[in-house]
Amino acid sequence: MRPFRLLVEVQVTPQSNQNSPIPVTLVAVYDRKLYEQFSQMAAKQWYTQRDQLRRDHPGGDVFIEWEWEFVPGFTPPPVVVEIRGNAVGAFVFANYRSPGPHRVRLGPHQRIRINLEEDDVTVSTLAPPEGS
């Protein structure tokens, strides 16, 4: 299957995460069992278990991740993420200091905006550019 290109924009509220940098990971999952496991994980669990998950599933066959860290009030440039066409689904995990799952399941979109708000993360779907 052909790769899927996803344009990711990020908006960071000035007081996000108690005015502290926020680690964010986008994970594309290619295994149904692992997808179900990830769908139950809070971001804190992801960040605690990810090194072991990488050791248990080397090579990027069952999941691939993209990692960033964003500073409150800073607007980074958009990035394009290429996801293999056989992905079961994808998630965004944001490692906030506040309690909560801080996990968002992504749908099959061409453009998204990750909104790093004061105490939680949301994802907005953006319309594809005209002519596409």
Side-chain angles (χ1 to χ4, degrees):
M1 299 183 85
R2 295 183 59 202
F4 176 80
R5 299 186 104 189
L6 176 66
L7 178 70
V8 180
E9 295 180 10
V10 178
Q11 184 173 23
V12 190
T13 302
Q15 294 302 315
S16 294
N17 200 31
Q18 301 171 16
N19 201 29
S20 297
I22 308 165
V24 175
T25 306
L26 189 153
V27 183
V29 187
Y30 300 94
D31 176 84
R32 285 207 180 279
K33 187 176 176 184
L34 199 58
Y35 179 82
E36 291 304 320
Q37 180 182 344
F38 286 7
S39 72
Q40 302 301 313
M41 275 187 179
K44 293 279 188 235
Q45 291 173 287
W46 164 256
Y47 286 99
T48 301
Q49 298 175 18
R50 71 181 171 174
D51 288 339
Q52 186 61 49
L53 287 163
R54 290 171 181 158
R55 287 188 292 273
D56 291 346
H57 306 284
D61 293 337
V62 295
F63 72 91
I64 296 176
E65 57 190 298
W66 295 265
E67 296 182 287
W68 306 279
E69 185 170 85
F70 299 106
V71 176
F74 175 72
T75 302
V79 296
V80 175
V81 171
E82 195 165 289
I83 299 172
R84 292 192 321 256
N86 61 335
V88 175
F91 297 93
V92 171
F93 293 102
N95 200 10
Y96 277 82
R97 292 179 173 195
S98 63
H102 309 302
R103 175 196 66 245
V104 179
R105 188 183 312 221
L106 299 180
H109 306 292
Q110 290 182 332
R111 295 178 68 200
I112 63 168
R113 177 178 295 130
I114 298 172
N115 304 295
L116 297 170
E117 298 169 356
E118 195 168 319
D119 292 316
D120 203 3
V121 59
T122 62
V123 173
S124 306
T125 303
L126 303 174
E130 288 190 32
S132 60

